[in-house]
Amino acid sequence: MSSGGQSHSMTGVTAITNARIFDGEKVIGARHIMIQGGTIIAVGGEIPAHAAVINADNAMLMPGLIDAHVHTSVGGLRDALKFGVTTELEMNGGFTKKGREIQLQNLGDVADVRSAGMAVTAPGGHPDELLPDHDGEIPDFVLKELEKLTEKERNAMLEAFAHDHDEAPQVTTIEEAVKHVHTQVENGADYIKIMIEEGTVMGVPGLPVLSEDILKAAVREAHKLNKIVLAHVLTADSSLSAIQMGVDGLAHLFIDRPESTSEVVAAIKDSGAFVTPCLVLNASIIGNPASELAGDPRVNSKLSREWIDILNSSFNTYPQGSLDNSFKSVMDIHKAGVDILVGTDVSPVPLHNLGGLAHGASVHHELQLLVKAGFTPVEALQSATSKPARRFGLQDRGRIAEGLRADLVLVDGDPTTNISDSLSIQAVWLKGEGQQIH
């Protein structure tokens, strides 16, 4: 990629020229775009004489990618951006509007983030089984991560941690569920998450789960407050339960594949809900590490040793599972016309019991697995751009179009025909600002 300079021109307009453009839906005929002040101001058209010109050298320009299922941290948001993931959607954690104000003030080198706040779950229910018992103390894995941050970032993360743990009320009744939803929305949650996880697939059968009445009350209250609701579900039965409760999206794809699969698929389709399958997680749960991804120089050149080690490990809590079953299930749902979104379920910090996943890199792995399952590369890319933006109401991103955010990624090759090329990243822009990606 040659450049007339990343800095803005006299007109404040930057033109990215000589690009092939995937606009979030399809490859289009235009060969250049213009950006100004963080916004795409034109796709095609006449380039102003004084525009700063960046020659893409026939690389492919795409919208910034969206990971529709993460648990994140400042470090996670930094890693995501290196891989062209310009938005992460947190499904349980502290990056609500309040949390963003505390933790991300004046940080320009992190992906944008939205959050569910703290999920609606039973006392001692999922995800407690995944976390070390720390009785309100800051766990060692968090302290280790804090050492890598600047003092300002460290203080912000500590404040957010205290905020999360002070503000996560117990939910045992309908009234408490309603109150919990209100608390999350008051903190600036962008959507609401409920947990339906009895633990079999996670290797801990018998986890407490809230009753259907309590969870249904949480869904109803969230909808009253104009928030969409997602459900953590990993079995066909819990998926069906969640759909019957009226959720707007399933944050996972069921790992078991019972004879009644067609009934579950029909229920999802009829409800209008979307599915974020997190095939990368299913692969890890059945014992497959992401070793090929970890060995790719386009990946390991951007990640710390700790995260590479995590990619080379796996959850391995349900080794009797089959990835082919997940492939069949996601294709059945896709063919039924259900929106499929790209998500990874990556953890905020590198934890060995949560292996096979890493921020940013796993989005590209998920794209590869969707194509392996039977998606076309274009369909897979839609699932990481225009579809999550639409389903989460993020109307300012996910596509390359006039008036939208200039969240962009430029890649060598052609990921619309060879999905692995999505990792050949040449440049990333967040709100029009070029990012350091190495």
Side-chain angles (χ1 to χ4, degrees):
M1 180 182 74
S2 57
S3 165
Q6 284 276 25
S7 59
H8 294 303
S9 68
M10 287 163 56
T11 60
V13 175
T14 299
I16 302 172
T17 64
N18 195 23
R20 288 167 297 125
I21 299 173
F22 170 75
D23 72 352
E25 299 281 355
K26 61 189 182 302
V27 178
I28 60 175
R31 298 281 293 175
H32 65 266
I33 70 164
M34 285 165 279
I35 59 181
Q36 183 177 34
T39 301
I40 300 166
I41 59 166
V43 179
E46 193 173 334
I47 299 171
H50 295 293
V53 175
I54 297 171
N55 183 354
D57 289 335
N58 210 35
M60 180 158 274
L61 189 66
M62 308 190 297
L65 303 175
I66 300 171
D67 189 336
H69 188 150
V70 302
H71 306 278
T72 198
S73 61
V74 171
L77 293 167
R78 279 206 178 101
D79 280 349
L81 199 53
K82 294 175 194 170
F83 289 93
V85 176
T86 52
T87 304
E88 287 198 326
L89 303 179
E90 184 179 62
M91 289 295 142
N92 190 50
F95 284 102
T96 59
K97 189 166 187 293
K98 266 190 190 173
R100 295 195 287 273
E101 286 166 0
I102 294 169
Q103 296 185 75
L104 302 180
Q105 215 173 25
N106 303 321
L107 290 184
D109 63 342
V110 295
D112 199 19
V113 60
R114 297 291 182 274
S115 182
M118 307 311 286
V120 181
T121 192
H126 180 76
D128 274 16
E129 81 283 2
L130 299 176
L131 301 172
D133 184 18
H134 48 77
D135 297 325
E137 295 294 315
I138 294 171
D140 288 344
F141 69 87
V142 174
L143 291 172
K144 189 177 174 190
E145 196 65 15
L146 286 172
E147 289 169 10
K148 301 175 189 171
L149 302 177
T150 66
E151 185 181 1
K152 183 180 173 190
E153 290 168 358
R154 191 157 52 241
N155 291 339
M157 190 169 170
L158 288 168
E159 191 177 338
F161 182 87
H163 179 268
D164 291 347
H165 288 75
D166 289 344
E167 302 263 346
Q170 295 279 322
V171 174
T172 57
T173 66
I174 286 175
E175 292 73 24
E176 287 171 349
V178 167
K179 187 180 174 191
H180 180 91
V181 168
H182 277 267
T183 300
Q184 303 317 304
V185 173
E186 284 159 17
N187 285 342
D190 301 281
Y191 36 86
I192 297 295
K193 172 107 174 276
I194 64 171
M195 300 291 197
I196 313 177
E197 176 57 72
E198 49 67 54
T200 304
V201 167
M202 305 302 292
V204 280
L207 279 181
V209 181
L210 291 170
S211 72
E212 189 176 314
D213 283 351
I214 293 172
L215 290 170
K216 202 181 275 186
V219 174
R220 198 163 49 238
E221 200 62 25
H223 285 161
K224 277 187 201 167
L225 298 171
N226 295 315
K227 299 295 179 187
I228 66 168
V229 183
L230 293 100
H232 166 101
V233 286
L234 280 167
T235 67
D237 277 352
S238 57
S239 300
L240 200 52
S241 293
I243 291 296
Q244 288 164 351
M245 289 173 199
V247 302
D248 304 281
L250 301 180
H252 293 280
L253 173 74
F254 49 89
I255 290 185
D256 57 338
R257 191 174 161 86
E259 289 177 14
S260 61
T261 298
S262 58
E263 179 196 345
V264 183
V265 172
I268 296 169
K269 174 186 166 49
D270 291 347
S271 76
F274 60 84
V275 175
T276 308
C278 300
L279 294 173
V280 287
L281 174 72
N282 286 16
S284 178
I285 284 174
I286 66 173
N288 295 353
S291 301
E292 193 177 331
L293 187 75
D296 190 323
R298 297 173 299 178
V299 171
N300 56 41
S301 61
K302 294 188 175 96
L303 289 179
S304 68
R305 184 73 254 161
E306 292 96 329
W307 279 111
I308 295 298
D309 289 347
I310 296 303
L311 284 177
N312 279 312
S313 61
S314 68
F315 276 65
N316 197 28
T317 55
Y318 194 70
Q320 65 268 44
S322 150
L323 197 53
D324 281 341
N325 279 351
S326 286
F327 286 166
K328 287 189 190 89
S329 298
V330 79
M331 284 309 293
D332 286 347
I333 296 167
H334 176 53
K335 285 173 183 168
V338 173
D339 281 335
I340 303 292
L341 313 187
V342 162
T344 61
D345 201 14
V346 61
S347 66
V349 291
L351 292 172
H352 279 280
N353 61 321
L354 310 180
L357 313 169
H359 287 276
S362 291
V363 167
H364 298 271
H365 191 196
E366 183 76 3
L367 291 170
Q368 292 170 20
L369 292 181
L370 285 171
V371 170
K372 203 168 178 185
F375 278 55
T376 67
V378 165
E379 288 171 336
L381 290 167
Q382 289 168 347
S383 292
T385 53
S386 57
K387 284 186 179 178
R390 176 165 49 80
R391 294 306 303 241
F392 280 85
L394 301 170
Q395 296 166 350
D396 62 347
R397 69 195 70 192
R399 291 174 297 121
I400 292 177
E402 188 179 326
L404 300 194
R405 277 171 64 111
D407 290 353
L408 304 161
V409 56
L410 187 71
V411 299
D412 272 345
D414 184 0
T416 66
T417 56
N418 176 27
I419 197 63
S420 173
D421 286 350
S422 70
L423 274 167
S424 298
I425 296 167
Q426 292 303 301
V428 176
W429 292 266
L430 183 73
K431 287 196 83 175
E433 293 295 326
Q435 301 296 309
Q436 293 290 329
I437 58 170
H438 298 292

